[in-house]
Amino acid sequence: MGSIEAVSRSQQYTFSKPNEGVIRLVPGLGVEGDAHYGEKVRHRSRVARTPDAPNLRQVHLIHAELFEELAGRGFAVAPGQIGENVTTRGLDLLGLPTGTLLHLGPEAVVEVTGLRNPCVQLDGFRPGLMKAVLDRDDEGGLVRKAGIMGVVVTGGEIRPGDQIRVTLPDGPHRKLEPV
């Protein structure tokens, strides 16, 4: 079981999102009051290519442990600063399979859809940060460490300190891919 360390949102398309005391998740839409809220794709680069695609990136989650790793490499990054809505602690987010259900707080449920594919905006925030959130596994495959994305299945309010429970999907597990 993990916990929520911070919740963040921004009504504007900003790189960083201010921390909030509470955010509301809405089924099929995402974080109420966030620029990425909606049934259809909301990320500007994707809207230009496929405006009618479903929004598989309604909620962006990052593990707080990444910020500690980055600090050890000289990058000061705090919750919300690289665009996530939910900062977690105590969960191996990157190791979860596609379709995992994250029970956030007393009511909300988010289904994991895939990995966040880091972009060059990270370097605009802190030069060299994009390279710092990429790695290689033992077989030489690319490892993206900039968090995961999900869609809201069940709505509710979530806040720092709330617990996170994990329900793994049935059947063979599919490794997370960028969405």
Side-chain angles (χ1 to χ4, degrees):
M1 187 176 305
S3 63
I4 296 174
E5 186 157 301
V7 294
S8 310
R9 68 180 173 157
S10 176
Q11 292 183 356
Q12 309 300 316
Y13 284 102
T14 57
F15 182 74
S16 296
K17 297 180 185 230
N19 296 152
E20 303 277 344
V22 61
I23 59 174
R24 178 180 298 281
L25 303 183
V26 179
L29 297 172
V31 179
E32 188 174 76
D34 191 79
H36 297 104
Y37 182 82
E39 182 180 322
K40 303 287 183 187
V41 66
R42 301 291 298 165
H43 286 75
R44 291 185 289 188
S45 64
R46 293 163 192 262
V47 168
R49 290 191 314 256
T50 55
D52 290 328
N55 187 0
L56 301 178
R57 299 165 56 102
Q58 295 173 1
V59 182
H60 176 199
L61 302 97
I62 286 184
H63 49 295
E65 293 84 354
L66 174 64
F67 300 146
E68 294 161 3
E69 176 187 333
L70 292 171
R73 298 176 69 185
F75 296 96
V77 180
Q81 287 188 319
I82 56 175
E84 79 277 9
N85 301 110
V86 181
T87 308
T88 69
R89 180 164 297 281
L91 288 179
D92 178 13
L93 293 179
L94 304 178
L96 298 172
T98 301
T100 297
L101 298 178
L102 299 175
H103 303 263
L104 306 171
E107 300 173 330
V109 180
V110 169
E111 181 179 346
V112 176
T113 56
L115 293 168
R116 175 190 186 191
N117 200 15
C119 69
V120 296
Q121 289 182 350
L122 290 167
D123 283 343
F125 177 67
R126 300 272 191 275
L129 186 58
M130 183 163 161
K131 184 176 180 184
V133 298
L134 296 171
D135 207 350
R136 296 279 174 187
D137 62 21
D138 293 337
E139 290 80 43
L142 187 62
V143 176
R144 294 165 178 89
K145 300 187 284 186
I148 64 171
M149 307 304 285
V151 295
V152 181
V153 176
T154 305
E157 291 185 345
I158 61 172
R159 53 189 41 86
D162 281 350
Q163 296 298 302
I164 304 172
R165 290 182 302 104
V166 175
T167 302
L168 296 174
D170 293 333
H173 291 171
R174 292 181 298 136
K175 184 178 175 183
L176 293 177
E177 298 291 335
V179 292

